[in-house]
Amino acid sequence: MLQLEKQLQETKMPPSTTSAILVIGGAEDKVHGREILHTFWNRAGSSEAIIGIIPSASREPVLIGERYQRIYEEMGAKLVKVLDIRDRAQGEDPTFQEYVEECTGIFLTGGDQLRLCGLLADTPLMERIRQRVQLGEMTIAGTSAGAAVMGHHMIAGGSSGECPNRALVDMAMGLGIIPEVIVDQHFHNRNRMSRLLSAISGYPERLGIGIDEDTCALFEKDGRIQVIGRGTVTIVDAREMSYTNQSEVGACDPLSLHNLRIHILSYGDCYYLHQHQAIAKHEQNLNL
């Protein structure tokens, strides 16, 4: 029975032939199927994976770091270490830098995205991680706050449940791992569509990506985004926005945004970043 479950799990997961970027909406399953975490382990090299956990966003970095360390050790990773960075000076620590050179996977935990960027942005350690990810030499995953930092522009905080307005969202600089996107997480679970629209109103050239809990937008090197997990990924494409009053109204006034394209993707659906095209799961299977 266990062998059958393992085979089923493996057939659902993308192949482990290439590195990837996993952007996770938070609250991913850590107990049962662990599909998203298992996909990261798989893409990082499975039994040959050398994984670095960065829990710097968390107020309890030791606790959260050790939890993920146990999970990946149970899966059978070759080596897992927690990089407990609590000071920017540690971003120049040669011990951490040497380990990152060996890593096949880096995992950024949840917490506070401003704290994470404050500790890591523009440090030699983060610059090398970003370089190795962009060269396809390692897989990286971020959950919750670790997902929010992926873009060049980052949603640092804000509110939910109101109509879109500039005061609804606080923006900051992210880590620029996927510069062309703005990510929001815990998306439908915390009613954050208006927050993402408010963010995109100021940066219509960026692609808005809202990711539900226990859901992952898996970015391939060729620009394909695949959805795994139990929720949805919302794509907001404002490239052809014909009008917004964003620069004309007060911070708390309602925003107008005309001619947006919205895609809601569920398990197995894909979005092609460069072609700006959504493809349903069954359409991909027909093309195989």
Side-chain angles (χ1 to χ4, degrees):
M1 186 66 180
L2 287 174
Q3 184 64 28
L4 178 60
E5 286 178 3
K6 185 179 180 183
Q7 288 173 353
L8 287 171
Q9 185 78 1
E10 286 172 351
T11 58
K12 289 170 73 177
M13 286 188 293
S16 58
T17 52
T18 57
S19 60
I21 301 171
L22 285 77
V23 190
I24 306 165
E28 71 285 351
D29 173 19
K30 302 176 187 66
V31 178
H32 302 293
R34 296 174 171 175
E35 181 183 6
I36 294 169
L37 298 181
H38 208 278
T39 300
F40 168 72
W41 170 82
N42 197 36
R43 286 304 188 95
S46 55
S47 62
E48 293 300 310
I50 299 174
I51 294 172
I53 311 292
I54 300 181
S56 302
S58 176
R59 291 184 179 181
E60 299 179 319
V62 173
L63 191 68
I64 196 77
E66 287 178 350
R67 185 174 189 190
Y68 282 105
Q69 182 177 21
R70 283 195 302 271
I71 287 170
Y72 292 123
E73 285 174 346
E74 287 171 10
M75 288 181 183
K78 184 176 181 179
L79 183 60
V80 187
K81 287 186 180 179
V82 177
L83 308 183
D84 188 5
I85 299 166
R86 305 191 194 195
D87 188 287
R88 280 187 62 83
Q90 291 175 281
E92 300 181 23
D93 187 323
T95 306
F96 287 157
Q97 289 177 309
E98 286 168 15
Y99 187 69
V100 160
E101 291 297 330
E102 296 179 40
C103 277
T104 59
I106 291 287
F107 191 95
L108 305 173
T109 75
D112 181 343
Q113 51 262 46
L114 278 174
R115 174 177 164 80
L116 182 59
C117 284
L119 289 170
L120 286 183
D122 299 322
T123 62
L125 185 71
M126 191 62 234
E127 289 303 307
R128 183 57 179 150
I129 289 171
R130 182 166 57 190
Q131 184 182 48
R132 292 200 64 214
V133 169
Q134 290 173 348
L135 289 170
E137 295 176 358
M138 71 159 60
T139 288
I140 192 168
T143 183
S144 190
V149 301
M150 290 289 180
H152 178 72
H153 297 291
M154 172 180 80
I155 294 176
S159 305
S160 61
E162 302 175 27
C163 64
N165 64 80
R166 292 207 321 273
L168 197 65
V169 62
D170 301 318
M171 299 298 293
M173 300 299 288
L175 296 179
I177 295 163
I178 316 170
E180 57 267 56
V181 304
I182 295 175
V183 175
D184 211 347
Q185 8 74 29
H186 303 279
F187 193 62
H188 282 115
N189 312 81
R190 299 186 186 177
N191 194 17
R192 286 178 167 171
M193 175 63 97
S194 289
R195 187 166 90 162
L196 183 59
L197 292 173
S198 302
I200 287 296
S201 72
Y203 303 96
E205 75 284 1
R206 307 295 183 184
L207 196 69
I209 300 188
I211 309 173
D212 295 348
E213 292 178 356
D214 195 21
T215 308
C216 173
L218 189 151
F219 285 71
E220 305 283 9
K221 283 192 293 183
D222 63 1
R224 180 167 61 100
I225 306 169
Q226 182 176 351
V227 179
I228 57 175
R230 65 181 175 88
T232 61
V233 171
T234 300
I235 308 281
V236 180
D237 179 357
R239 289 174 308 124
E240 297 178 8
M241 183 169 66
S242 57
Y243 170 74
T244 179
N245 61 352
Q246 199 260 1
S247 63
E248 304 161 12
V249 298
C252 295
D253 294 330
L255 289 173
S256 297
L257 301 113
H258 297 184
N259 204 41
L260 301 179
R261 296 187 73 193
I262 309 288
H263 306 275
I264 312 290
L265 311 179
S266 61
Y267 192 98
D269 291 346
C270 286
Y271 185 84
Y272 288 83
L273 198 58
H274 306 308
Q275 293 85 0
H276 299 278
Q277 184 179 12
I279 303 291
K281 181 181 179 180
H282 74 274
E283 292 176 325
Q284 296 169 67
N285 291 339
L286 289 173
N287 292 332
L288 292 176

